[in-house]
Amino acid sequence: MHLHLRDGEQMRAVLSDTARRFARAIVMPNLNPPVITTELALAYNGRISRALAANTKMQFKPLMTLYLTDSTETSEIMKAKASGVIHGVKFYPARSTTYSYAGVTDIAKCFAVLEAMEQQSMPLLVHGEVNDTEVDVFDKEKIFIDRVLIPITQRFPDLRVIFEHITTKEAVEFVKGASENIGATITAHHLLFNRNVMFQGGIHPHYYCLPVLKREVHHLALIEAAISGNPKFFLGTDSAPHSKNTKESDCGCAGIYTSHAAIELYAEIFEQAGALGKLEEFASFFGADFYRLPRNNDSITLIKERWDVPMELEFAGKALVPLRAGESMSWKILD
Ligand code: NCD
Ligand code: ZN
């Protein structure tokens, strides 16, 4: 329920990893230029569908999103809703993450749009970090809850909000205590690691993502939320491919690629937490229910079998370093 598919040749390189494991995904609109209109979202949807059709074995439905800007108009929300193809509007605080340069500078500028979304029952998908450079990078999510999220949910109580890729115990507590209109996605990498993994014996850019990994106390709170059976918490990988050269650079990009082993990673996490029985609802039921989509009827089969993750994957003529590169996985998906 949160995925970066990129575009063009890059999209064609990564799409089958997701389509092999998931029947659908909420597709992020942070392309360059961003997907700010229904027309652009429909065109992007067409490009994904054509890439899928080129590989007839793949059954996968992209669920499109719009990118919110300071100047998004309420009429765009009506168009998006009427399209039947757009399932949410993404709020990136300007300059908070990859291609968020056109994001929202002040959410107050979008209040008319949020009101329209509340009326149209169009979910708001939130990148929950303040873009205030004075705020410590590890506190950006916590501060966002107080400064932005609480005021929005108070002003628009019927607006459905997905607090995406949560990373802190404060976020878990906020979501638990909020109304039933507030849900959250949790990535595999935030369930696997705390921030130490970025700095063990040197700096490891392939563990750098936004929101950045946090302390162990937060890591544990996320695991507890994911296995709790609380329907407010559901799967969203935030798999975000960047070529190896752009990650291993003097100003490396944020994003971790997990699509090649996404459900297998979650299976490992749930197994280690003694909660394999809770995986299906977290992965397949709660997200669909929150988005008011029918649950899928098909199933996938995971077996306990070791396989090795390649050091690199092909990514439009460049290399892509996947999570677990050169290491092994304990769960395998059966085709
Ligand atoms: C994402 C990307 O690369 O598009 N990066 C990331 O670290 N998660 C953007 C985002 O979701 O913040
Ligand atoms: Zn993302």
Side-chain angles (χ1 to χ4, degrees), residues 2-4 28 30 90 92 97 127 164-165 210-211 237-240:
H2 177 133
L3 178 68
H4 299 274
M28 289 298 120
N30 63 331
K90 178 74 187 229
Y92 290 105
T97 188
H127 182 103
E164 302 211 277
H165 45 50
L210 286 171
T237 66
D238 192 22
S239 179

PDB file of all heavy atoms in Angstrom, residues 2-4 28 30 90 92 97 127 164-165 210-211 237-240, ligand 2:
ATOM      1  N   HIS A   2       2.091   1.174  -0.458  1.00  0.00           N
ATOM      2  CA  HIS A   2       2.955   2.352  -0.658  1.00  0.00           C
ATOM      3  C   HIS A   2       4.175   1.889  -1.442  1.00  0.00           C
ATOM      4  O   HIS A   2       5.038   1.196  -0.915  1.00  0.00           O
ATOM      5  CB  HIS A   2       3.384   2.948   0.683  1.00  0.00           C
ATOM      6  CG  HIS A   2       4.327   4.110   0.543  1.00  0.00           C
ATOM      7  ND1 HIS A   2       4.167   5.278   1.234  1.00  0.00           N
ATOM      8  CD2 HIS A   2       5.435   4.296  -0.224  1.00  0.00           C
ATOM      9  CE1 HIS A   2       5.137   6.129   0.908  1.00  0.00           C
ATOM     10  NE2 HIS A   2       5.930   5.546   0.031  1.00  0.00           N
ATOM     11  N   LEU A   3       4.230   2.303  -2.706  1.00  0.00           N
ATOM     12  CA  LEU A   3       5.271   1.765  -3.581  1.00  0.00           C
ATOM     13  C   LEU A   3       5.742   2.809  -4.582  1.00  0.00           C
ATOM     14  O   LEU A   3       4.938   3.553  -5.133  1.00  0.00           O
ATOM     15  CB  LEU A   3       4.696   0.565  -4.350  1.00  0.00           C
ATOM     16  CG  LEU A   3       5.637  -0.105  -5.343  1.00  0.00           C
ATOM     17  CD1 LEU A   3       6.778  -0.810  -4.633  1.00  0.00           C
ATOM     18  CD2 LEU A   3       4.877  -1.097  -6.215  1.00  0.00           C
ATOM     19  N   HIS A   4       7.051   2.816  -4.826  1.00  0.00           N
ATOM     20  CA  HIS A   4       7.614   3.670  -5.879  1.00  0.00           C
ATOM     21  C   HIS A   4       7.939   2.809  -7.089  1.00  0.00           C
ATOM     22  O   HIS A   4       8.820   1.955  -7.020  1.00  0.00           O
ATOM     23  CB  HIS A   4       8.877   4.380  -5.370  1.00  0.00           C
ATOM     24  CG  HIS A   4       8.588   5.268  -4.207  1.00  0.00           C
ATOM     25  ND1 HIS A   4       8.172   6.572  -4.351  1.00  0.00           N
ATOM     26  CD2 HIS A   4       8.591   5.023  -2.870  1.00  0.00           C
ATOM     27  CE1 HIS A   4       7.956   7.097  -3.149  1.00  0.00           C
ATOM     28  NE2 HIS A   4       8.191   6.178  -2.240  1.00  0.00           N
ATOM     29  N   MET A  28       3.126   5.598  -5.811  1.00  0.00           N
ATOM     30  CA  MET A  28       3.479   6.969  -5.432  1.00  0.00           C
ATOM     31  C   MET A  28       3.635   7.877  -6.662  1.00  0.00           C
ATOM     32  O   MET A  28       4.116   7.432  -7.711  1.00  0.00           O
ATOM     33  CB  MET A  28       4.777   6.971  -4.614  1.00  0.00           C
ATOM     34  CG  MET A  28       4.591   6.395  -3.231  1.00  0.00           C
ATOM     35  SD  MET A  28       3.402   7.370  -2.268  1.00  0.00           S
ATOM     36  CE  MET A  28       2.162   6.134  -1.917  1.00  0.00           C
ATOM     37  N   ASN A  30       5.583  10.605  -6.985  1.00  0.00           N
ATOM     38  CA  ASN A  30       6.760  11.496  -6.982  1.00  0.00           C
ATOM     39  C   ASN A  30       7.689  11.211  -8.162  1.00  0.00           C
ATOM     40  O   ASN A  30       8.861  10.900  -7.998  1.00  0.00           O
ATOM     41  CB  ASN A  30       7.515  11.436  -5.636  1.00  0.00           C
ATOM     42  CG  ASN A  30       8.089  10.069  -5.321  1.00  0.00           C
ATOM     43  OD1 ASN A  30       7.573   9.043  -5.742  1.00  0.00           O
ATOM     44  ND2 ASN A  30       9.188  10.053  -4.569  1.00  0.00           N
ATOM     45  N   LYS A  90      -1.322  12.436  -2.269  1.00  0.00           N
ATOM     46  CA  LYS A  90      -0.118  12.364  -1.442  1.00  0.00           C
ATOM     47  C   LYS A  90       0.364  13.751  -1.026  1.00  0.00           C
ATOM     48  O   LYS A  90       0.574  14.626  -1.869  1.00  0.00           O
ATOM     49  CB  LYS A  90       0.981  11.651  -2.234  1.00  0.00           C
ATOM     50  CG  LYS A  90       2.299  11.540  -1.506  1.00  0.00           C
ATOM     51  CD  LYS A  90       2.257  10.491  -0.410  1.00  0.00           C
ATOM     52  CE  LYS A  90       3.516  10.505   0.424  1.00  0.00           C
ATOM     53  NZ  LYS A  90       4.102   9.201   0.601  1.00  0.00           N
ATOM     54  N   TYR A  92       3.388  15.563   0.370  1.00  0.00           N
ATOM     55  CA  TYR A  92       4.812  15.645   0.693  1.00  0.00           C
ATOM     56  C   TYR A  92       5.082  17.056   1.182  1.00  0.00           C
ATOM     57  O   TYR A  92       4.926  18.005   0.403  1.00  0.00           O
ATOM     58  CB  TYR A  92       5.694  15.441  -0.551  1.00  0.00           C
ATOM     59  CG  TYR A  92       5.716  14.041  -1.120  1.00  0.00           C
ATOM     60  CD1 TYR A  92       5.029  13.740  -2.286  1.00  0.00           C
ATOM     61  CD2 TYR A  92       6.463  13.039  -0.517  1.00  0.00           C
ATOM     62  CE1 TYR A  92       5.068  12.460  -2.829  1.00  0.00           C
ATOM     63  CE2 TYR A  92       6.509  11.759  -1.050  1.00  0.00           C
ATOM     64  CZ  TYR A  92       5.806  11.477  -2.209  1.00  0.00           C
ATOM     65  OH  TYR A  92       5.848  10.211  -2.739  1.00  0.00           O
ATOM     66  N   THR A  97      11.685  14.940   0.914  1.00  0.00           N
ATOM     67  CA  THR A  97      12.212  13.661   0.428  1.00  0.00           C
ATOM     68  C   THR A  97      12.396  13.722  -1.089  1.00  0.00           C
ATOM     69  O   THR A  97      12.281  14.797  -1.676  1.00  0.00           O
ATOM     70  CB  THR A  97      11.294  12.495   0.876  1.00  0.00           C
ATOM     71  OG1 THR A  97      11.916  11.250   0.557  1.00  0.00           O
ATOM     72  CG2 THR A  97       9.931  12.559   0.208  1.00  0.00           C
ATOM     73  N   HIS A 127       3.420  11.954   3.962  1.00  0.00           N
ATOM     74  CA  HIS A 127       4.830  11.776   4.316  1.00  0.00           C
ATOM     75  C   HIS A 127       5.023  12.593   5.590  1.00  0.00           C
ATOM     76  O   HIS A 127       5.095  13.818   5.536  1.00  0.00           O
ATOM     77  CB  HIS A 127       5.767  12.259   3.202  1.00  0.00           C
ATOM     78  CG  HIS A 127       7.206  12.032   3.529  1.00  0.00           C
ATOM     79  ND1 HIS A 127       7.952  11.011   2.990  1.00  0.00           N
ATOM     80  CD2 HIS A 127       8.030  12.661   4.408  1.00  0.00           C
ATOM     81  CE1 HIS A 127       9.168  11.034   3.500  1.00  0.00           C
ATOM     82  NE2 HIS A 127       9.245  12.026   4.368  1.00  0.00           N
ATOM     83  N   GLU A 164       2.015   7.422   6.397  1.00  0.00           N
ATOM     84  CA  GLU A 164       2.783   6.421   5.671  1.00  0.00           C
ATOM     85  C   GLU A 164       4.148   6.170   6.313  1.00  0.00           C
ATOM     86  O   GLU A 164       4.722   7.039   6.946  1.00  0.00           O
ATOM     87  CB  GLU A 164       2.953   6.872   4.228  1.00  0.00           C
ATOM     88  CG  GLU A 164       1.565   7.082   3.594  1.00  0.00           C
ATOM     89  CD  GLU A 164       1.556   6.803   2.127  1.00  0.00           C
ATOM     90  OE1 GLU A 164       1.924   7.669   1.336  1.00  0.00           O
ATOM     91  OE2 GLU A 164       1.179   5.671   1.781  1.00  0.00           O
ATOM     92  N   HIS A 165       4.626   4.963   6.094  1.00  0.00           N
ATOM     93  CA  HIS A 165       5.935   4.503   6.569  1.00  0.00           C
ATOM     94  C   HIS A 165       6.306   5.083   7.937  1.00  0.00           C
ATOM     95  O   HIS A 165       7.305   5.782   8.082  1.00  0.00           O
ATOM     96  CB  HIS A 165       7.039   4.755   5.540  1.00  0.00           C
ATOM     97  CG  HIS A 165       7.040   6.103   4.870  1.00  0.00           C
ATOM     98  ND1 HIS A 165       6.976   7.282   5.561  1.00  0.00           N
ATOM     99  CD2 HIS A 165       7.103   6.438   3.553  1.00  0.00           C
ATOM    100  CE1 HIS A 165       7.005   8.279   4.695  1.00  0.00           C
ATOM    101  NE2 HIS A 165       7.072   7.798   3.489  1.00  0.00           N
ATOM    102  N   LEU A 210      14.129   7.603   3.815  1.00  0.00           N
ATOM    103  CA  LEU A 210      13.379   8.600   4.575  1.00  0.00           C
ATOM    104  C   LEU A 210      11.959   8.089   4.794  1.00  0.00           C
ATOM    105  O   LEU A 210      11.393   7.519   3.867  1.00  0.00           O
ATOM    106  CB  LEU A 210      13.358   9.940   3.829  1.00  0.00           C
ATOM    107  CG  LEU A 210      14.695  10.701   3.874  1.00  0.00           C
ATOM    108  CD1 LEU A 210      14.661  11.894   2.940  1.00  0.00           C
ATOM    109  CD2 LEU A 210      15.036  11.136   5.304  1.00  0.00           C
ATOM    110  N   PRO A 211      11.383   8.275   5.945  1.00  0.00           N
ATOM    111  CA  PRO A 211      12.054   8.735   7.154  1.00  0.00           C
ATOM    112  C   PRO A 211      13.159   7.761   7.564  1.00  0.00           C
ATOM    113  O   PRO A 211      13.016   6.554   7.434  1.00  0.00           O
ATOM    114  CB  PRO A 211      10.932   8.740   8.206  1.00  0.00           C
ATOM    115  CG  PRO A 211       9.660   8.731   7.422  1.00  0.00           C
ATOM    116  CD  PRO A 211       9.955   8.030   6.148  1.00  0.00           C
ATOM    117  N   THR A 237       5.464  -1.229   1.515  1.00  0.00           N
ATOM    118  CA  THR A 237       6.915  -1.471   1.509  1.00  0.00           C
ATOM    119  C   THR A 237       7.741  -0.198   1.398  1.00  0.00           C
ATOM    120  O   THR A 237       8.859  -0.143   1.874  1.00  0.00           O
ATOM    121  CB  THR A 237       7.341  -2.373   0.337  1.00  0.00           C
ATOM    122  OG1 THR A 237       7.107  -1.667  -0.894  1.00  0.00           O
ATOM    123  CG2 THR A 237       6.611  -3.693   0.350  1.00  0.00           C
ATOM    124  N   ASP A 238       7.185   0.829   0.710  1.00  0.00           N
ATOM    125  CA  ASP A 238       7.981   2.016   0.365  1.00  0.00           C
ATOM    126  C   ASP A 238       9.252   1.610  -0.378  1.00  0.00           C
ATOM    127  O   ASP A 238      10.286   2.275  -0.273  1.00  0.00           O
ATOM    128  CB  ASP A 238       8.315   2.840   1.616  1.00  0.00           C
ATOM    129  CG  ASP A 238       8.886   4.217   1.261  1.00  0.00           C
ATOM    130  OD1 ASP A 238       8.642   4.686   0.135  1.00  0.00           O
ATOM    131  OD2 ASP A 238       9.581   4.798   2.103  1.00  0.00           O
ATOM    132  N   SER A 239       9.185   0.515  -1.105  1.00  0.00           N
ATOM    133  CA  SER A 239      10.355   0.121  -1.896  1.00  0.00           C
ATOM    134  C   SER A 239      10.660   1.258  -2.867  1.00  0.00           C
ATOM    135  O   SER A 239       9.794   1.696  -3.617  1.00  0.00           O
ATOM    136  CB  SER A 239      10.035  -1.172  -2.648  1.00  0.00           C
ATOM    137  OG  SER A 239      11.140  -1.553  -3.441  1.00  0.00           O
ATOM    138  N   ALA A 240      11.896   1.757  -2.810  1.00  0.00           N
ATOM    139  CA  ALA A 240      12.235   2.994  -3.534  1.00  0.00           C
ATOM    140  C   ALA A 240      13.584   2.828  -4.233  1.00  0.00           C
ATOM    141  O   ALA A 240      14.634   3.117  -3.659  1.00  0.00           O
ATOM    142  CB  ALA A 240      12.273   4.162  -2.558  1.00  0.00           C
TER     143      ALA A 240
HETATM  144 ZN    ZN B   2       7.799   6.365  -0.296  1.00  0.00          ZN
END
